[in-house]
Each structure stands twice: as structure tokens, then as C-alpha cells.
Amino acid sequence: MRRCAKCGKKAQVFLPQHRLSLCGEHYIEWFENRVERTIREFRMFSRWDKILVAVSGGKDSLSLWQALIKLGYDADGFHINLGIGNYSEMSNQIALKFACKVGRTLHELHLAKEVMPVPDFRDYDKRPACSLCGTLKRYYMNKVAKELGYSVVATGHNLDDESAVLFSNALSWNIEYLERQYPVLPEENGFVKKVKPLCKVSEKESALYAVLSGIEYVEDECPMAQGATTIDYKLYLSQLEEKMPGIKLRFYSEFLRKLYPILKTQEQKAKLQKCKVCGEPSISDICSVCKLKIKISSRKYIHDQHGE
Ligand code: AMP
Ligand code: ZN
Ligand code: ZN
């Protein structure tokens, strides 16, 4: 029988890459310490900052929110209801229930009211729905955080997410993306500071934290994300991890330590301007979200004129 390395009680968790067995209580403590160390290592924020946690209703963002609150940070939540049928309704309800339980504010934004529900994108834009959905999420996280006076946006991206993106960018040596792959993006040019405090914990570890902390979360993947290539990269890396425990963490951490500093010195920042319509940062005079909104309203106008 494995025993907890801290208290000697029966272990509930074994972490192969750290060669560590822990009981439930000490696992929770280990996870929170790891998040705290990541926050300090990358100077993400302090206890004076007002943090907005982007909460999807899944295990990662709810575990992150819970850990930040327990660590004494001033963290509220922000949920974007994507309008994807039952999946979005459930996610929204679970995020609200959690906010009630921990007694913190959850700000909500309904994409169907602001732009349109995600499943309708295909009629307006040829890009895959996931890519447009990502653009809209980033746009509203940034805009809402600034409007509500938050200094930092924290997302629940974990080690599996980050190493899969790193793997995909490295396979095609996409330098432009690699030089921006850092768990902290500074506040600049109309962007609020963005951080990923779970970048050094795996998906399994964050699921374990959620379960052992009694957090109710949405287990389903987004139904629109099926077939996304990152799912394949995650699978390959997890197979490697099985054989070589710790490889994922090493791949990501050593990139940050050895390669990122070199890439950073030659980073060429895109020239940004303010969107003429909404004032948010944009590479062209009108940002992609405003362009989409214009397209939607002009089609509605044609539709109304012709009574189709
Ligand atoms: P994903 O891209 O779905 O893997 O999500 C990555 C992170 O983005 C999550 O951990 C959340 O922090 C954030 N996020 C995803 N979906 C939403 C949403 N609907 N509302 C707010 N934040 C979200
Ligand atoms: Zn213990
Ligand atoms: Zn705009």
C-alpha cells in the first residue's frame, strides 16, 4: 500500500513524474503550492491585483478559481455563454452555482446577445467555428476586464494544452507563435495582462484537484471542438508521458527556460492600431469582431428588405 509522503496515511494519489504519493488533503495542498510557485516564478500577479478568472465551467478554470481564492487572491469570475445548446446552458449553470458556493461575483456575457451563438458562425465566416470562437473569447475577456477595472485575466490553460500547442508550433517551426508562447502576456497596447497559472499542472492533476475538492464541473468537451488537431497532439504526448513520466513538463519548462529567451530578443511586434468602431486593439482599422458584426447586420438588413 502506498502511503502519503507527508503524513503516512493511505495515499489516494500517485504522481509518477514527481515520484510522489499523497493523501487527498496533502494533494490539495501540493496543487495549491504548485499554482502559487508558478504565479511567483512568472510574476503573474500579487495579492493587490484584481483578477478576472475566465471560467468555462470545466475542471481547469474552476480548479484555478478555487485555488486562487484559497491562496488569498482577489479573484472574480467571467463566463461567456457561447450559445451551444445544452452544453452552454449546463456550463453557465455550473459556473453560477460555483460562484454562489464560494461567494464571489461571476460576470456573464451572452454571445447570442452580443454577436450570435457559435453554431451560427458557419453562415457568416469561412473560418472554422473554433478559431472564430477563440477570437471572440479573447476579445471579450480583454474588453470586459478593462471595463470592469480588473488588472489581470487568468485562464485555466494547463500543461497538456500548452505542451500540445508547443508541439504543434514546433513541428512547423512557427517562430511567430513560438515567440509569444509564454504564460504571461504583459499589459500593453490596449491589452490587459493575461496569465496561465495552471501551465505547470497536467489535465489529470487539475481533474484530481477538482474531484478531491468536491468541485462540480462540466465533463463534456465542447461539441463543436470534435476533430480538432490539438486533440491528436495531446494524445501523442500522453502516450509518451506514459512511457517517460515527466516528459511533457520537461518539454514545456525547458522551452521556456532555454529557447523562449532567445526568441524573445528578436520578436517583432505586430503594429497595432485602435479599431475605428470599438476602440479595441486591432491589426487593421476595423477589428475582426466589428467586421463580423457589420456583416451580420448588413445581412439582416437585406433579409428584412426582401422579407425572406
Ligand atoms: P479551451 O480553449 O476551451 O481549452 O479553454 C481554455 C481556457 O479559456 C479555459 O480554461 C478558460 O479559462 C477559458 N474559457 C474557455 N471557454 C470559456 C468560456 N465560455 N467563458 C469564459 N472562459 C472560457
Ligand atoms: Zn497526507
Ligand atoms: Zn472593433
Side-chain angles (χ1 to χ4, degrees), residues 105-150:
T105 305
L106 179 79
H107 303 282
E108 286 173 66
L109 181 132
H110 291 253
L111 224 47
K113 283 188 208 152
E114 294 293 327
V115 190
M116 62 166 44
V118 170
D120 291 358
F121 287 171
R122 60 173 173 262
D123 300 334
Y124 288 89
D125 203 291
K126 50 185 182 307
R127 269 182 292 172
C130 288
S131 126
L132 197 54
C133 178
T135 304
L136 282 155
K137 280 194 270 196
R138 284 190 294 276
Y139 175 87
Y140 283 110
M141 280 174 202
N142 194 56
K143 191 165 185 280
V144 167
K146 282 191 295 182
E147 283 168 2
L148 299 175
Y150 289 91

mmCIF file of all heavy atoms in Angstrom, residues 105-150:
data_model
loop_
_atom_site.group_PDB
_atom_site.id
_atom_site.type_symbol
_atom_site.label_atom_id
_atom_site.label_comp_id
_atom_site.label_asym_id
_atom_site.label_seq_id
_atom_site.Cartn_x
_atom_site.Cartn_y
_atom_site.Cartn_z
ATOM 1 N N THR A 105 -18.243 37.088 -7.201
ATOM 2 C CA THR A 105 -19.032 37.558 -8.344
ATOM 3 C C THR A 105 -18.680 36.778 -9.602
ATOM 4 O O THR A 105 -17.502 36.536 -9.873
ATOM 5 C CB THR A 105 -18.713 39.051 -8.605
ATOM 6 O OG1 THR A 105 -18.954 39.747 -7.399
ATOM 7 C CG2 THR A 105 -19.562 39.623 -9.726
ATOM 8 N N LEU A 106 -19.717 36.419 -10.368
ATOM 9 C CA LEU A 106 -19.475 35.861 -11.711
ATOM 10 C C LEU A 106 -20.096 36.827 -12.722
ATOM 11 O O LEU A 106 -21.305 37.045 -12.709
ATOM 12 C CB LEU A 106 -20.122 34.480 -11.871
ATOM 13 C CG LEU A 106 -19.925 33.858 -13.270
ATOM 14 C CD1 LEU A 106 -18.526 33.261 -13.412
ATOM 15 C CD2 LEU A 106 -20.960 32.784 -13.566
ATOM 16 N N HIS A 107 -19.268 37.440 -13.543
ATOM 17 C CA HIS A 107 -19.789 38.285 -14.613
ATOM 18 C C HIS A 107 -20.124 37.368 -15.781
ATOM 19 O O HIS A 107 -19.406 36.406 -16.038
ATOM 20 C CB HIS A 107 -18.734 39.307 -15.056
ATOM 21 C CG HIS A 107 -18.252 40.169 -13.929
ATOM 22 N ND1 HIS A 107 -18.982 41.230 -13.447
ATOM 23 C CD2 HIS A 107 -17.125 40.101 -13.173
ATOM 24 C CE1 HIS A 107 -18.308 41.786 -12.449
ATOM 25 N NE2 HIS A 107 -17.178 41.118 -12.265
ATOM 26 N N GLU A 108 -21.224 37.690 -16.480
ATOM 27 C CA GLU A 108 -21.631 36.829 -17.596
ATOM 28 C C GLU A 108 -21.818 37.637 -18.864
ATOM 29 O O GLU A 108 -22.242 38.789 -18.809
ATOM 30 C CB GLU A 108 -22.986 36.185 -17.289
ATOM 31 C CG GLU A 108 -22.942 35.089 -16.274
ATOM 32 C CD GLU A 108 -24.358 34.648 -15.917
ATOM 33 O OE1 GLU A 108 -25.057 34.108 -16.786
ATOM 34 O OE2 GLU A 108 -24.750 34.877 -14.761
ATOM 35 N N LEU A 109 -21.510 37.001 -19.978
ATOM 36 C CA LEU A 109 -21.759 37.648 -21.265
ATOM 37 C C LEU A 109 -22.359 36.584 -22.191
ATOM 38 O O LEU A 109 -21.875 35.454 -22.235
ATOM 39 C CB LEU A 109 -20.437 38.166 -21.832
ATOM 40 C CG LEU A 109 -20.527 38.899 -23.167
ATOM 41 C CD1 LEU A 109 -19.750 40.212 -23.089
ATOM 42 C CD2 LEU A 109 -19.983 38.060 -24.303
ATOM 43 N N HIS A 110 -23.453 36.965 -22.859
ATOM 44 C CA HIS A 110 -24.114 36.007 -23.751
ATOM 45 C C HIS A 110 -23.776 36.355 -25.196
ATOM 46 O O HIS A 110 -24.169 37.410 -25.684
ATOM 47 C CB HIS A 110 -25.629 36.022 -23.513
ATOM 48 C CG HIS A 110 -25.994 35.447 -22.179
ATOM 49 N ND1 HIS A 110 -26.578 34.208 -22.040
ATOM 50 C CD2 HIS A 110 -25.805 35.920 -20.918
ATOM 51 C CE1 HIS A 110 -26.730 33.951 -20.744
ATOM 52 N NE2 HIS A 110 -26.278 34.977 -20.042
ATOM 53 N N LEU A 111 -23.043 35.456 -25.835
ATOM 54 C CA LEU A 111 -22.609 35.703 -27.208
ATOM 55 C C LEU A 111 -23.810 35.889 -28.153
ATOM 56 O O LEU A 111 -23.736 36.667 -29.100
ATOM 57 C CB LEU A 111 -21.731 34.533 -27.683
ATOM 58 C CG LEU A 111 -20.472 34.908 -28.439
ATOM 59 C CD1 LEU A 111 -19.685 36.015 -27.761
ATOM 60 C CD2 LEU A 111 -19.586 33.703 -28.607
ATOM 61 N N ALA A 112 -24.905 35.184 -27.872
ATOM 62 C CA ALA A 112 -26.093 35.311 -28.733
ATOM 63 C C ALA A 112 -26.610 36.752 -28.713
ATOM 64 O O ALA A 112 -27.141 37.241 -29.707
ATOM 65 C CB ALA A 112 -27.169 34.346 -28.260
ATOM 66 N N LYS A 113 -26.451 37.448 -27.582
ATOM 67 C CA LYS A 113 -26.923 38.841 -27.488
ATOM 68 C C LYS A 113 -25.907 39.799 -28.093
ATOM 69 O O LYS A 113 -26.266 40.772 -28.738
ATOM 70 C CB LYS A 113 -27.142 39.221 -26.014
ATOM 71 C CG LYS A 113 -28.422 38.650 -25.431
ATOM 72 C CD LYS A 113 -28.653 39.247 -24.043
ATOM 73 C CE LYS A 113 -29.440 38.262 -23.181
ATOM 74 N NZ LYS A 113 -29.173 38.407 -21.755
ATOM 75 N N GLU A 114 -24.607 39.530 -27.869
ATOM 76 C CA GLU A 114 -23.557 40.453 -28.328
ATOM 77 C C GLU A 114 -23.289 40.312 -29.824
ATOM 78 O O GLU A 114 -23.099 41.309 -30.510
ATOM 79 C CB GLU A 114 -22.244 40.167 -27.593
ATOM 80 C CG GLU A 114 -22.277 40.451 -26.123
ATOM 81 C CD GLU A 114 -22.415 41.933 -25.800
ATOM 82 O OE1 GLU A 114 -21.899 42.757 -26.568
ATOM 83 O OE2 GLU A 114 -23.065 42.250 -24.786
ATOM 84 N N VAL A 115 -23.225 39.087 -30.296
ATOM 85 C CA VAL A 115 -22.897 38.839 -31.711
ATOM 86 C C VAL A 115 -23.892 37.821 -32.275
ATOM 87 O O VAL A 115 -24.851 38.176 -32.949
ATOM 88 C CB VAL A 115 -21.455 38.310 -31.885
ATOM 89 C CG1 VAL A 115 -21.055 38.281 -33.349
ATOM 90 C CG2 VAL A 115 -20.447 39.128 -31.093
ATOM 91 N N MET A 116 -23.654 36.575 -32.008
ATOM 92 C CA MET A 116 -24.561 35.485 -32.375
ATOM 93 C C MET A 116 -24.073 34.193 -31.727
ATOM 94 O O MET A 116 -22.909 34.100 -31.341
ATOM 95 C CB MET A 116 -24.629 35.311 -33.901
ATOM 96 C CG MET A 116 -23.318 34.946 -34.550
ATOM 97 S SD MET A 116 -23.527 34.370 -36.233
ATOM 98 C CE MET A 116 -24.677 35.510 -36.886
ATOM 99 N N PRO A 117 -24.963 33.194 -31.579
ATOM 100 C CA PRO A 117 -24.489 31.940 -30.978
ATOM 101 C C PRO A 117 -23.451 31.274 -31.884
ATOM 102 O O PRO A 117 -23.538 31.386 -33.115
ATOM 103 C CB PRO A 117 -25.765 31.091 -30.874
ATOM 104 C CG PRO A 117 -26.784 31.747 -31.726
ATOM 105 C CD PRO A 117 -26.396 33.173 -31.905
ATOM 106 N N VAL A 118 -22.480 30.599 -31.275
ATOM 107 C CA VAL A 118 -21.364 29.996 -32.031
ATOM 108 C C VAL A 118 -21.823 29.099 -33.201
ATOM 109 O O VAL A 118 -21.264 29.185 -34.300
ATOM 110 C CB VAL A 118 -20.403 29.239 -31.071
ATOM 111 C CG1 VAL A 118 -19.389 28.413 -31.832
ATOM 112 C CG2 VAL A 118 -19.684 30.240 -30.180
ATOM 113 N N PRO A 119 -22.854 28.238 -33.024
ATOM 114 C CA PRO A 119 -23.224 27.363 -34.155
ATOM 115 C C PRO A 119 -23.655 28.126 -35.420
ATOM 116 O O PRO A 119 -23.603 27.574 -36.511
ATOM 117 C CB PRO A 119 -24.396 26.540 -33.594
ATOM 118 C CG PRO A 119 -24.205 26.570 -32.120
ATOM 119 C CD PRO A 119 -23.628 27.915 -31.801
ATOM 120 N N ASP A 120 -24.069 29.405 -35.270
ATOM 121 C CA ASP A 120 -24.495 30.168 -36.454
ATOM 122 C C ASP A 120 -23.325 30.781 -37.224
ATOM 123 O O ASP A 120 -23.518 31.326 -38.308
ATOM 124 C CB ASP A 120 -25.455 31.308 -36.044
ATOM 125 C CG ASP A 120 -26.793 30.767 -35.561
ATOM 126 O OD1 ASP A 120 -26.967 29.533 -35.589
ATOM 127 O OD2 ASP A 120 -27.658 31.575 -35.146
ATOM 128 N N PHE A 121 -22.109 30.702 -36.663
ATOM 129 C CA PHE A 121 -20.955 31.330 -37.326
ATOM 130 C C PHE A 121 -20.773 30.845 -38.757
ATOM 131 O O PHE A 121 -20.357 31.580 -39.623
ATOM 132 C CB PHE A 121 -19.650 31.017 -36.577
ATOM 133 C CG PHE A 121 -19.489 31.755 -35.285
ATOM 134 C CD1 PHE A 121 -18.453 31.421 -34.425
ATOM 135 C CD2 PHE A 121 -20.351 32.772 -34.926
ATOM 136 C CE1 PHE A 121 -18.291 32.085 -33.229
ATOM 137 C CE2 PHE A 121 -20.199 33.445 -33.720
ATOM 138 C CZ PHE A 121 -19.165 33.090 -32.877
ATOM 139 N N ARG A 122 -21.033 29.547 -38.946
ATOM 140 C CA ARG A 122 -20.716 28.954 -40.265
ATOM 141 C C ARG A 122 -21.426 29.670 -41.416
ATOM 142 O O ARG A 122 -20.975 29.629 -42.551
ATOM 143 C CB ARG A 122 -21.005 27.458 -40.274
ATOM 144 C CG ARG A 122 -22.442 27.123 -39.976
ATOM 145 C CD ARG A 122 -22.726 25.629 -40.159
ATOM 146 N NE ARG A 122 -24.086 25.381 -39.697
ATOM 147 C CZ ARG A 122 -24.373 24.911 -38.497
ATOM 148 N NH1 ARG A 122 -23.415 24.595 -37.681
ATOM 149 N NH2 ARG A 122 -25.622 24.755 -38.116
ATOM 150 N N ASP A 123 -22.550 30.351 -41.115
ATOM 151 C CA ASP A 123 -23.263 31.066 -42.176
ATOM 152 C C ASP A 123 -22.609 32.405 -42.510
ATOM 153 O O ASP A 123 -22.972 33.053 -43.478
ATOM 154 C CB ASP A 123 -24.718 31.339 -41.734
ATOM 155 C CG ASP A 123 -25.451 30.046 -41.448
ATOM 156 O OD1 ASP A 123 -25.067 29.020 -42.032
ATOM 157 O OD2 ASP A 123 -26.392 30.071 -40.621
ATOM 158 N N TYR A 124 -21.682 32.846 -41.640
ATOM 159 C CA TYR A 124 -21.131 34.192 -41.822
ATOM 160 C C TYR A 124 -19.637 34.255 -42.055
ATOM 161 O O TYR A 124 -19.112 35.275 -42.472
ATOM 162 C CB TYR A 124 -21.459 35.056 -40.583
ATOM 163 C CG TYR A 124 -22.911 35.413 -40.556
ATOM 164 C CD1 TYR A 124 -23.822 34.586 -39.931
ATOM 165 C CD2 TYR A 124 -23.366 36.568 -41.188
ATOM 166 C CE1 TYR A 124 -25.166 34.892 -39.923
ATOM 167 C CE2 TYR A 124 -24.710 36.884 -41.189
ATOM 168 C CZ TYR A 124 -25.605 36.041 -40.553
ATOM 169 O OH TYR A 124 -26.934 36.350 -40.560
ATOM 170 N N ASP A 125 -18.936 33.183 -41.710
ATOM 171 C CA ASP A 125 -17.483 33.248 -41.777
ATOM 172 C C ASP A 125 -16.944 31.886 -42.197
ATOM 173 O O ASP A 125 -17.400 30.862 -41.696
ATOM 174 C CB ASP A 125 -16.942 33.616 -40.388
ATOM 175 C CG ASP A 125 -15.562 34.237 -40.472
ATOM 176 O OD1 ASP A 125 -14.604 33.502 -40.827
ATOM 177 O OD2 ASP A 125 -15.432 35.434 -40.183
ATOM 178 N N LYS A 126 -15.973 31.889 -43.123
ATOM 179 C CA LYS A 126 -15.488 30.583 -43.603
ATOM 180 C C LYS A 126 -14.460 29.945 -42.674
ATOM 181 O O LYS A 126 -14.129 28.784 -42.807
ATOM 182 C CB LYS A 126 -14.949 30.680 -45.034
ATOM 183 C CG LYS A 126 -13.960 31.783 -45.277
ATOM 184 C CD LYS A 126 -13.624 31.830 -46.772
ATOM 185 C CE LYS A 126 -12.594 32.873 -47.100
ATOM 186 N NZ LYS A 126 -12.903 34.238 -46.620
ATOM 187 N N ARG A 127 -13.970 30.743 -41.687
ATOM 188 C CA ARG A 127 -13.026 30.163 -40.726
ATOM 189 C C ARG A 127 -13.723 29.077 -39.900
ATOM 190 O O ARG A 127 -14.931 29.162 -39.683
ATOM 191 C CB ARG A 127 -12.551 31.256 -39.748
ATOM 192 C CG ARG A 127 -11.302 31.964 -40.209
ATOM 193 C CD ARG A 127 -10.878 32.983 -39.193
ATOM 194 N NE ARG A 127 -11.813 34.096 -39.097
ATOM 195 C CZ ARG A 127 -11.739 35.048 -38.173
ATOM 196 N NH1 ARG A 127 -10.807 34.998 -37.251
ATOM 197 N NH2 ARG A 127 -12.603 36.039 -38.165
ATOM 198 N N PRO A 128 -12.957 28.072 -39.403
ATOM 199 C CA PRO A 128 -13.602 27.074 -38.537
ATOM 200 C C PRO A 128 -14.203 27.753 -37.295
ATOM 201 O O PRO A 128 -13.645 28.736 -36.797
ATOM 202 C CB PRO A 128 -12.453 26.155 -38.128
ATOM 203 C CG PRO A 128 -11.305 26.501 -39.001
ATOM 204 C CD PRO A 128 -11.524 27.851 -39.565
ATOM 205 N N ALA A 129 -15.346 27.218 -36.842
ATOM 206 C CA ALA A 129 -16.055 27.835 -35.711
ATOM 207 C C ALA A 129 -15.141 28.014 -34.498
ATOM 208 O O ALA A 129 -15.194 29.034 -33.812
ATOM 209 C CB ALA A 129 -17.269 27.002 -35.343
ATOM 210 N N CYS A 130 -14.236 27.012 -34.230
ATOM 211 C CA CYS A 130 -13.369 27.084 -33.043
ATOM 212 C C CYS A 130 -12.418 28.276 -33.108
ATOM 213 O O CYS A 130 -12.120 28.886 -32.081
ATOM 214 C CB CYS A 130 -12.537 25.827 -32.905
ATOM 215 S SG CYS A 130 -13.506 24.431 -32.399
ATOM 216 N N SER A 131 -11.947 28.581 -34.309
ATOM 217 C CA SER A 131 -10.981 29.671 -34.403
ATOM 218 C C SER A 131 -11.682 31.017 -34.164
ATOM 219 O O SER A 131 -11.183 31.886 -33.456
ATOM 220 C CB SER A 131 -10.251 29.584 -35.744
ATOM 221 O OG SER A 131 -10.324 30.770 -36.458
ATOM 222 N N LEU A 132 -12.874 31.162 -34.733
ATOM 223 C CA LEU A 132 -13.635 32.393 -34.529
ATOM 224 C C LEU A 132 -14.095 32.523 -33.072
ATOM 225 O O LEU A 132 -14.063 33.600 -32.472
ATOM 226 C CB LEU A 132 -14.844 32.381 -35.472
ATOM 227 C CG LEU A 132 -15.538 33.705 -35.702
ATOM 228 C CD1 LEU A 132 -14.554 34.760 -36.156
ATOM 229 C CD2 LEU A 132 -16.634 33.538 -36.742
ATOM 230 N N CYS A 133 -14.494 31.387 -32.499
ATOM 231 C CA CYS A 133 -14.933 31.360 -31.103
ATOM 232 C C CYS A 133 -13.780 31.813 -30.206
ATOM 233 O O CYS A 133 -13.970 32.606 -29.274
ATOM 234 C CB CYS A 133 -15.393 29.952 -30.744
ATOM 235 S SG CYS A 133 -15.908 29.744 -29.054
ATOM 236 N N GLY A 134 -12.552 31.340 -30.506
ATOM 237 C CA GLY A 134 -11.359 31.732 -29.741
ATOM 238 C C GLY A 134 -11.116 33.234 -29.849
ATOM 239 O O GLY A 134 -10.820 33.898 -28.851
ATOM 240 N N THR A 135 -11.254 33.773 -31.051
ATOM 241 C CA THR A 135 -11.058 35.211 -31.256
ATOM 242 C C THR A 135 -12.065 36.007 -30.422
ATOM 243 O O THR A 135 -11.704 36.976 -29.747
ATOM 244 C CB THR A 135 -11.256 35.561 -32.759
ATOM 245 O OG1 THR A 135 -10.367 34.771 -33.513
ATOM 246 C CG2 THR A 135 -11.036 37.026 -33.044
ATOM 247 N N LEU A 136 -13.328 35.580 -30.473
ATOM 248 C CA LEU A 136 -14.368 36.290 -29.715
ATOM 249 C C LEU A 136 -14.146 36.193 -28.208
ATOM 250 O O LEU A 136 -14.327 37.173 -27.478
ATOM 251 C CB LEU A 136 -15.749 35.739 -30.078
ATOM 252 C CG LEU A 136 -16.263 36.256 -31.425
ATOM 253 C CD1 LEU A 136 -17.254 35.302 -32.044
ATOM 254 C CD2 LEU A 136 -16.899 37.632 -31.265
ATOM 255 N N LYS A 137 -13.736 35.005 -27.743
ATOM 256 C CA LYS A 137 -13.491 34.841 -26.301
ATOM 257 C C LYS A 137 -12.373 35.796 -25.856
ATOM 258 O O LYS A 137 -12.519 36.493 -24.863
ATOM 259 C CB LYS A 137 -13.109 33.390 -25.974
ATOM 260 C CG LYS A 137 -14.327 32.465 -25.897
ATOM 261 C CD LYS A 137 -13.988 31.139 -25.251
ATOM 262 C CE LYS A 137 -13.537 30.131 -26.241
ATOM 263 N NZ LYS A 137 -13.526 28.747 -25.814
ATOM 264 N N ARG A 138 -11.265 35.818 -26.619
ATOM 265 C CA ARG A 138 -10.142 36.689 -26.240
ATOM 266 C C ARG A 138 -10.560 38.160 -26.271
ATOM 267 O O ARG A 138 -10.220 38.940 -25.387
ATOM 268 C CB ARG A 138 -8.945 36.460 -27.180
ATOM 269 C CG ARG A 138 -8.197 35.173 -26.869
ATOM 270 C CD ARG A 138 -6.898 35.097 -27.647
ATOM 271 N NE ARG A 138 -7.135 34.986 -29.083
ATOM 272 C CZ ARG A 138 -7.374 33.842 -29.720
ATOM 273 N NH1 ARG A 138 -7.392 32.710 -29.053
ATOM 274 N NH2 ARG A 138 -7.584 33.814 -31.017
ATOM 275 N N TYR A 139 -11.338 38.528 -27.299
ATOM 276 C CA TYR A 139 -11.797 39.913 -27.452
ATOM 277 C C TYR A 139 -12.625 40.339 -26.226
ATOM 278 O O TYR A 139 -12.363 41.369 -25.613
ATOM 279 C CB TYR A 139 -12.641 40.010 -28.730
ATOM 280 C CG TYR A 139 -13.298 41.351 -28.972
ATOM 281 C CD1 TYR A 139 -12.612 42.361 -29.644
ATOM 282 C CD2 TYR A 139 -14.601 41.599 -28.560
ATOM 283 C CE1 TYR A 139 -13.217 43.587 -29.888
ATOM 284 C CE2 TYR A 139 -15.211 42.819 -28.793
ATOM 285 C CZ TYR A 139 -14.514 43.812 -29.462
ATOM 286 O OH TYR A 139 -15.115 45.019 -29.694
ATOM 287 N N TYR A 140 -13.621 39.521 -25.861
ATOM 288 C CA TYR A 140 -14.487 39.918 -24.744
ATOM 289 C C TYR A 140 -13.803 39.794 -23.387
ATOM 290 O O TYR A 140 -14.079 40.582 -22.493
ATOM 291 C CB TYR A 140 -15.814 39.146 -24.789
ATOM 292 C CG TYR A 140 -16.724 39.727 -25.853
ATOM 293 C CD1 TYR A 140 -17.015 39.033 -27.019
ATOM 294 C CD2 TYR A 140 -17.244 41.015 -25.716
ATOM 295 C CE1 TYR A 140 -17.820 39.580 -28.003
ATOM 296 C CE2 TYR A 140 -18.045 41.577 -26.702
ATOM 297 C CZ TYR A 140 -18.324 40.853 -27.839
ATOM 298 O OH TYR A 140 -19.113 41.417 -28.811
ATOM 299 N N MET A 141 -12.890 38.845 -23.227
ATOM 300 C CA MET A 141 -12.154 38.753 -21.953
ATOM 301 C C MET A 141 -11.401 40.059 -21.730
ATOM 302 O O MET A 141 -11.415 40.628 -20.646
ATOM 303 C CB MET A 141 -11.125 37.612 -21.988
ATOM 304 C CG MET A 141 -11.705 36.237 -21.736
ATOM 305 S SD MET A 141 -10.403 35.014 -21.980
ATOM 306 C CE MET A 141 -11.383 33.552 -22.298
ATOM 307 N N ASN A 142 -10.760 40.530 -22.778
ATOM 308 C CA ASN A 142 -9.949 41.742 -22.686
ATOM 309 C C ASN A 142 -10.814 42.981 -22.449
ATOM 310 O O ASN A 142 -10.563 43.776 -21.549
ATOM 311 C CB ASN A 142 -9.157 41.879 -23.997
ATOM 312 C CG ASN A 142 -8.056 42.888 -23.890
ATOM 313 O OD1 ASN A 142 -7.190 42.789 -23.027
ATOM 314 N ND2 ASN A 142 -8.097 43.897 -24.745
ATOM 315 N N LYS A 143 -11.862 43.091 -23.247
ATOM 316 C CA LYS A 143 -12.727 44.280 -23.203
ATOM 317 C C LYS A 143 -13.443 44.380 -21.837
ATOM 318 O O LYS A 143 -13.430 45.424 -21.191
ATOM 319 C CB LYS A 143 -13.748 44.155 -24.335
ATOM 320 C CG LYS A 143 -14.570 45.392 -24.615
ATOM 321 C CD LYS A 143 -15.237 45.223 -25.978
ATOM 322 C CE LYS A 143 -15.988 46.471 -26.391
ATOM 323 N NZ LYS A 143 -17.285 46.570 -25.758
ATOM 324 N N VAL A 144 -14.017 43.252 -21.422
ATOM 325 C CA VAL A 144 -14.797 43.247 -20.177
ATOM 326 C C VAL A 144 -13.876 43.489 -18.970
ATOM 327 O O VAL A 144 -14.227 44.239 -18.056
ATOM 328 C CB VAL A 144 -15.598 41.926 -20.064
ATOM 329 C CG1 VAL A 144 -16.170 41.724 -18.679
ATOM 330 C CG2 VAL A 144 -16.710 41.912 -21.111
ATOM 331 N N ALA A 145 -12.692 42.879 -18.975
ATOM 332 C CA ALA A 145 -11.763 43.083 -17.855
ATOM 333 C C ALA A 145 -11.425 44.566 -17.712
ATOM 334 O O ALA A 145 -11.430 45.115 -16.603
ATOM 335 C CB ALA A 145 -10.495 42.265 -18.069
ATOM 336 N N LYS A 146 -11.160 45.232 -18.827
ATOM 337 C CA LYS A 146 -10.809 46.666 -18.764
ATOM 338 C C LYS A 146 -11.994 47.484 -18.284
ATOM 339 O O LYS A 146 -11.873 48.335 -17.416
ATOM 340 C CB LYS A 146 -10.374 47.155 -20.154
ATOM 341 C CG LYS A 146 -8.958 46.753 -20.513
ATOM 342 C CD LYS A 146 -8.466 47.471 -21.747
ATOM 343 C CE LYS A 146 -9.266 47.065 -22.975
ATOM 344 N NZ LYS A 146 -8.819 47.681 -24.216
ATOM 345 N N GLU A 147 -13.170 47.203 -18.863
ATOM 346 C CA GLU A 147 -14.368 47.967 -18.494
ATOM 347 C C GLU A 147 -14.697 47.823 -17.013
ATOM 348 O O GLU A 147 -15.166 48.760 -16.380
ATOM 349 C CB GLU A 147 -15.572 47.487 -19.332
ATOM 350 C CG GLU A 147 -15.544 48.025 -20.739
ATOM 351 C CD GLU A 147 -16.557 47.341 -21.683
ATOM 352 O OE1 GLU A 147 -17.328 46.462 -21.218
ATOM 353 O OE2 GLU A 147 -16.554 47.678 -22.866
ATOM 354 N N LEU A 148 -14.440 46.630 -16.454
ATOM 355 C CA LEU A 148 -14.801 46.402 -15.052
ATOM 356 C C LEU A 148 -13.656 46.683 -14.085
ATOM 357 O O LEU A 148 -13.787 46.474 -12.889
ATOM 358 C CB LEU A 148 -15.307 44.957 -14.869
ATOM 359 C CG LEU A 148 -16.566 44.565 -15.664
ATOM 360 C CD1 LEU A 148 -16.864 43.082 -15.483
ATOM 361 C CD2 LEU A 148 -17.774 45.383 -15.220
ATOM 362 N N GLY A 149 -12.516 47.116 -14.609
ATOM 363 C CA GLY A 149 -11.400 47.524 -13.745
ATOM 364 C C GLY A 149 -10.557 46.391 -13.179
ATOM 365 O O GLY A 149 -9.985 46.523 -12.095
ATOM 366 N N TYR A 150 -10.472 45.269 -13.897
ATOM 367 C CA TYR A 150 -9.588 44.178 -13.452
ATOM 368 C C TYR A 150 -8.208 44.374 -14.079
ATOM 369 O O TYR A 150 -8.107 44.782 -15.237
ATOM 370 C CB TYR A 150 -10.169 42.813 -13.857
ATOM 371 C CG TYR A 150 -11.403 42.461 -13.054
ATOM 372 C CD1 TYR A 150 -12.665 42.806 -13.516
ATOM 373 C CD2 TYR A 150 -11.293 41.825 -11.826
ATOM 374 C CE1 TYR A 150 -13.807 42.521 -12.776
ATOM 375 C CE2 TYR A 150 -12.420 41.528 -11.072
ATOM 376 C CZ TYR A 150 -13.677 41.880 -11.551
ATOM 377 O OH TYR A 150 -14.782 41.591 -10.807
#
